[in-house]
Amino acid sequence: ERCEVMSKKKMNGIEFKTDIPDDGLWDEAGELVTRPGGMALSDAIASLLEEGDIRVSDPDMDLEHESWDFEVDWNGARFRVQVMHFDVCMVVVHGGPWLLERLIFRNVPRREDLTEHIAALFDRDPRFSEVKLFKAY
């Protein structure tokens, strides 16, 4: 398996490299981002999830964090997936069920489950390499 786990505790981030081109747009001075890179990468990740019958929203630009994000509805839980396209790219999974929901509905997925699922999809796709899980927060 290609995915390297850096720690086993509540992983909600993935660091990786990709051959999907950076599609960021910069101002004339090359300093201010007018559109952060990652739109095509977000679309690719959303498509991978949709192929597995997971509902996702269209990616939205987050200019403040120079990233893109989209909502995921997976087995009764709702998450936000943040995608950053730099030299080393990152995905961070936010949200998921509250503690009470997890106690009542024991099979509801947590953000670590979605993170591991996305990493497994990356491992099977040749566009992604050097996949590593980490705890973003």
Side-chain angles (χ1 to χ4, degrees), residues 7-93:
S7 164
K8 295 233 179 227
K9 216 172 179 183
K10 303 213 180 215
M11 308 299 241
N12 66 320
I14 308 167
E15 185 179 282
F16 58 96
K17 292 196 175 193
T18 183
D19 63 6
I20 296 171
D22 183 357
D23 53 6
L25 297 176
W26 304 84
D27 67 9
E28 292 175 7
E31 294 177 7
L32 178 67
V33 173
T34 58
R35 185 182 79 197
M39 184 174 70
L41 179 58
S42 294
D43 285 338
I45 295 168
S47 293
L48 284 173
L49 290 167
E50 286 177 325
E51 288 171 9
D53 292 328
I54 296 174
R55 288 190 353 214
V56 300
S57 69
D58 291 332
D60 290 318
M61 178 174 54
D62 181 353
L63 194 54
E64 179 182 350
H65 297 105
E66 296 187 22
S67 63
W68 290 80
D69 57 21
F70 55 89
E71 300 292 324
V72 174
D73 289 315
W74 187 38
N75 293 335
R78 188 168 183 86
F79 304 91
R80 184 172 59 88
V81 175
Q82 182 181 18
V83 179
M84 292 151 275
H85 194 161
F86 304 112
D87 291 337
V88 173
C89 301
M90 288 188 289
V91 165
V92 178
V93 177

Side-chain angles (χ1 to χ4, degrees), residues 6 11 21 23 30 44 51 56 60 77 90 101 103 107 117 130 133:
M6 299 177 86
M11 308 299 241
D23 53 6
E51 288 171 9
V56 300
D60 290 318
M90 288 188 289
E101 288 178 280
L103 292 173
N107 292 332
H117 180 71
E130 299 181 37
L133 293 170

Side-chain angles (χ1 to χ4, degrees), residues 89-123:
C89 301
M90 288 188 289
V91 165
V92 178
V93 177
H94 303 274
W98 295 93
L99 177 60
L100 184 58
E101 288 178 280
R102 290 194 314 259
L103 292 173
I104 295 171
F105 306 105
R106 296 203 181 264
N107 292 332
V108 69
R110 300 164 301 154
R111 69 176 169 236
E112 306 87 68
D113 300 325
L114 181 57
T115 304
E116 290 173 7
H117 180 71
I118 294 170
L121 293 172
F122 287 179
D123 276 342

